[in-house]
């Protein structure tokens, strides 16, 4: 029965993808899979040489064990942030004569169909055939591969538990995800050598093959904990009536006019109480450190690319949230249209909210990079002026062309529900316009003249803010019926 349920799930998954996604989206997904898979395989082929250069005193297999700690910590963090966990796919089967235990085990099997469970083999299988089978005997090599698999599965079910318990409330979820990062931080800083302990444990499992019972017991224990948790997912009424909904919002920070305040509080609730939007908040925070990539190599980077890295610190808000503007509310868009407020108030409230998020990103970015290089902080601020003056308006204009609603209860990992080809195209002017303006100023004059040009255009956008809002209102009124029709499909 479990195999039959799994077969039905895979058929439904394949058919829904075929019907819902355009050829361009599928082509893009295929390119991403090829890129990351190819990068992992390439790294796997050279991993033994990298390990031998790191430590020539022992074989590559044993040296790698220390780095496996960082891999599994990062893997667990990414799973808890972006892995998609949908609990209600078994609802149609609750009314059929199928054993509850079969459905419970099916839920566990379903969680295994994730890119996070496939990617490790692209990385570690080449290393296994090149290094492991030569460094240790046959049984130990098999135990090494089994141990890798068990730890991947342990992470899978740990992430499942995080998503179904603390993941439903923003603050506990944030504490857990930051704690996972903390496991890597305390080791890197040398406060607690967790990677050394993990390496000793993992090498002991490989060399003393009977010790493989330890990861097996860990896996079995976490599996049955997850199995018990999944029982509540089958009790649909209990899930609906007893689940506590997070009440966290930003009402204590948002001041001002009552209509404007109500809309902005509503927007904060929408973001902080839904998984897909909540994941994007974390991604926006991580992109604050994007310029770190080039801080130490800036003398080897093109100046235009340096500006792009700094601009993206605040531009990421538009890139992440703006491409789905209005589509977040697709499920209740008709209800919003019937409320007693003007379209101008609605757009202004949204504009002010995203202006606040962009401003916070700018303050954090400038605070971080001011200690490293004032030039980076200056470019971040100039990018911020352009983003709030011009790009925010472009985002609201482009958003009116969205006609697919977004399912907010799903994660972001390899989730292209509601995505259209226009979303990828819409981000191009947001990135190209400031880069072209900067490039013209830089190559025609110098770096500071280029920054003055970009910031001047942004300031002009701020000065003519009231004038620019009116075309956005007209565009919304022109497109609202088509948007409503699309969201209802």
């Amino acid at each position: 029965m479990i195999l039959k349920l799994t077969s039905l799930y895979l058929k439904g998954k394949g058919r829904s993808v075929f019907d819902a996604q355009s050829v361009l989206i599928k082509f893009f997904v295929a390119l991403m899979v090829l890129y990351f898979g190819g990068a992992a395989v390439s790294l796997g082929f050279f991993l033994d040489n990298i390990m031998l250069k790191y430590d020539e005193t022992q074989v590559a297999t044993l040296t790698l064990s220390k780095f496996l700690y960082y891999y599994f910590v990062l893997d667990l963090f990414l799973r808890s942030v972006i892995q998609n966990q949908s609990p209600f796919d078994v609802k149609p089967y609750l009314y059929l004569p199928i054993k509850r235990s079969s459905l419970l085990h099916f839920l566990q099997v379903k969680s295994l169909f994730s890119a996070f469970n496939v990617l490790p083999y692209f990385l570690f299988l080449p290393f296994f055939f090149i290094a492991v089978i030569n460094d240790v005997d046959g049984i130990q090599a098999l135990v090494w591969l089994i141990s890798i698999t068990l730890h991947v599965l342990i992470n899978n079910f740990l992430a499942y538990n995080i998503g179904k318990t603390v993941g439903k409330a923003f603050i506990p979820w944030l504490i857990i995800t930051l704690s996972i990062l903390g496991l890597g931080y305390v080791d890197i800083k040398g406060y607690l050598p967790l990677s050394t302990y993990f390496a000793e444990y993992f090498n002991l499992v490989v060399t003393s093959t009977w010790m493989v019972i330890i990861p097996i017991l860990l896996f079995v224990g976490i599996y049955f904990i997850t199995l018990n948790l999944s029982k509540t997912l089958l009790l649909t009424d209990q899930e609906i009536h007893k689940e506590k909904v997070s009440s966290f919002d930003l009402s204590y920070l948002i001041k001002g006019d009552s209509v404007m305040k109500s809309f902005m509080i509503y927007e904060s609730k929408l973001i902080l109480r839904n998984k897909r939007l909540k994941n994007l908040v974390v991604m926006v925070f991580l992109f604050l450190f994007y310029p770190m990539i080039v801080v130490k190599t800036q003398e080897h980077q093109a100046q235009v690319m340096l500006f792009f890295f700094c601009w993206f610190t605040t531009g990421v808000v538009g890139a992440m949230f703006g491409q789905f503007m209005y589509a977040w509310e697709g499920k209740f868009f008709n209800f919003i249209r019937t409320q007693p407020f003007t379209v101008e108030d609605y757009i202004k409230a949204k504009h002010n909210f995203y202006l606040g998020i962009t401003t916070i990103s700018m303050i954090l970015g400038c605070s971080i990079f001011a200690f490293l290089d004032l030039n980076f902080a200056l470019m971040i601020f100039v990018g911020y002026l352009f983003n709030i003056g011009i790009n925010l308006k472009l985002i609201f204009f482009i958003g009116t062309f969205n006609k697919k609603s977004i399912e907010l209860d799903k994660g972001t990992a390899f989730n292209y529900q509601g995505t259209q080809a226009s979303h990828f195209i819409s981000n191009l002017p947001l990135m190209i316009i400031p880069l072209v303006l900067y490039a013209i100023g830089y190559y025609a004059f110098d770096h500071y003249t280029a920054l003055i040009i970009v910031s001047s255009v942004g300031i002009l956008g701020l000065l003519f803010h009231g004038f620019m809002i009116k075309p956005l209102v007209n565009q919304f009124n022109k497109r609202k019926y088509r948007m409503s029709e699309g969201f209802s499909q």
Side-chain angles (χ1 to χ4, degrees), residues 378-439:
L378 179 61
M379 287 191 285
I380 289 172
F381 182 73
V382 169
Y384 161 76
L385 289 176
F386 186 88
N387 285 322
I388 63 173
I390 303 297
N391 274 357
L392 272 182
K393 280 76 174 180
L394 284 175
I395 288 167
F396 280 90
F397 181 85
I398 295 169
T400 59
F401 293 94
N402 288 331
K403 293 191 294 184
K404 290 186 178 181
S405 61
I406 301 296
E407 294 181 12
L408 298 173
D409 58 339
K410 294 185 177 181
T412 55
F414 298 95
N415 180 11
Y416 295 94
Q417 183 277 323
T419 303
Q420 306 171 76
S422 60
H423 290 145
F424 299 103
I425 298 172
S426 67
N427 276 332
L428 293 179
L430 302 179
M431 295 184 288
I432 291 174
I433 294 174
L435 291 182
V436 169
L437 289 174
Y438 179 84

Side-chain angles (χ1 to χ4, degrees), residues 276-296:
R276 191 162 176 178
L277 292 173
K278 197 164 56 177
N279 289 349
L280 289 182
V281 171
V282 176
M283 294 175 70
V284 167
F285 175 77
L286 293 177
F287 271 109
L288 287 176
F289 302 94
Y290 199 43
M292 286 286 190
I293 299 173
V294 293
V295 165
K296 294 184 178 180

Side-chain angles (χ1 to χ4, degrees), residues 284 287-291 307-317 358 361-362 364-366 369 380 387:
V284 167
F287 271 109
L288 287 176
F289 302 94
Y290 199 43
F307 177 74
F308 171 78
F309 280 102
C310 295
W311 164 85
F312 201 71
T313 301
T314 54
V316 67
V317 175
T358 308
S361 299
M362 180 274 295
L364 292 175
C366 287
F369 290 97
I380 289 172
N387 285 322

Side-chain angles (χ1 to χ4, degrees), residues 52 54-59 63:
L52 288 174
Y54 178 79
D55 187 354
E56 298 179 353
T57 61
Q58 61 180 358
V59 294
T63 304

Side-chain angles (χ1 to χ4, degrees), residues 77-309:
F77 170 75
L78 292 176
R79 286 175 186 268
S80 64
V81 171
I82 61 177
Q83 185 168 337
N84 185 14
Q85 302 284 2
S86 179
F88 296 116
D89 290 342
V90 295
K91 271 186 176 181
Y93 302 110
L94 294 176
Y95 309 101
L96 300 177
I98 300 175
K99 291 182 180 180
R100 180 159 295 181
S101 60
S102 297
L103 288 176
L104 287 171
H105 288 290
F106 164 65
L107 280 175
Q108 315 316 308
V109 172
K110 186 176 75 70
S111 72
L112 299 178
F113 293 98
S114 167
F116 287 104
N117 295 327
V118 177
L119 188 61
Y121 296 100
F122 283 94
L123 176 62
F124 294 124
L125 277 180
F127 180 79
F128 174 78
F129 288 110
I130 293 173
V132 177
I133 58 177
N134 294 319
D135 294 339
V136 295
D137 62 43
I139 299 297
Q140 291 176 336
L142 182 61
V143 168
W144 184 90
L145 190 59
I146 291 172
S147 299
I148 291 288
T149 302
L150 288 171
H151 284 86
V152 168
L153 295 178
I154 287 170
N155 269 8
N156 178 79
F157 292 118
L158 278 176
Y160 187 94
N161 279 280
I162 291 171
K164 299 308 171 196
T165 53
V166 298
K168 294 184 177 182
F170 180 72
I171 294 298
W173 170 82
L174 184 62
I175 292 172
I176 290 294
T177 51
L178 290 178
S179 299
I180 294 170
L181 281 181
L183 293 175
Y185 179 80
V186 296
D187 181 83
I188 292 172
K189 288 294 184 180
Y191 300 136
L192 193 62
L194 296 176
S195 61
T196 302
Y197 298 150
F198 182 86
E200 292 175 355
Y201 146 75
F202 199 86
N203 290 338
L204 182 63
V205 170
V206 173
T207 54
S208 303
T209 52
W210 65 272
M211 293 287 287
V212 74
I213 192 68
I214 296 177
I216 290 175
L217 291 176
L218 282 173
F219 167 71
V220 171
I222 291 174
Y223 179 87
F224 280 102
I225 290 173
T226 309
L227 199 67
N228 288 329
L229 175 66
S230 298
K231 289 181 181 179
T232 60
L233 302 180
L234 295 181
L235 303 176
T236 308
D237 292 336
Q238 178 179 344
E239 181 76 17
I240 293 173
H241 295 299
K242 291 190 177 181
E243 178 184 347
K244 292 183 179 180
V245 178
S246 169
S247 60
F248 184 77
D249 58 50
L250 301 179
S251 57
Y252 59 93
L253 293 177
I254 301 172
K255 309 294 181 183
D257 168 81
S258 58
V259 175
M260 197 76 68
K261 178 180 177 181
S262 297
F263 274 125
M264 293 172 71
I265 291 173
Y266 153 75
E267 197 78 18
S268 71
K269 290 178 179 178
L270 187 69
I271 290 175
L272 298 175
R273 299 184 186 182
N274 291 282
K275 183 175 179 63
R276 191 162 176 178
L277 292 173
K278 197 164 56 177
N279 289 349
L280 289 182
V281 171
V282 176
M283 294 175 70
V284 167
F285 175 77
L286 293 177
F287 271 109
L288 287 176
F289 302 94
Y290 199 43
M292 286 286 190
I293 299 173
V294 293
V295 165
K296 294 184 178 180
T297 61
Q298 54 181 302
E299 64 275 8
H300 304 297
Q301 299 286 339
Q303 189 64 34
V304 175
M305 288 309 299
L306 287 178
F307 177 74
F308 171 78
F309 280 102

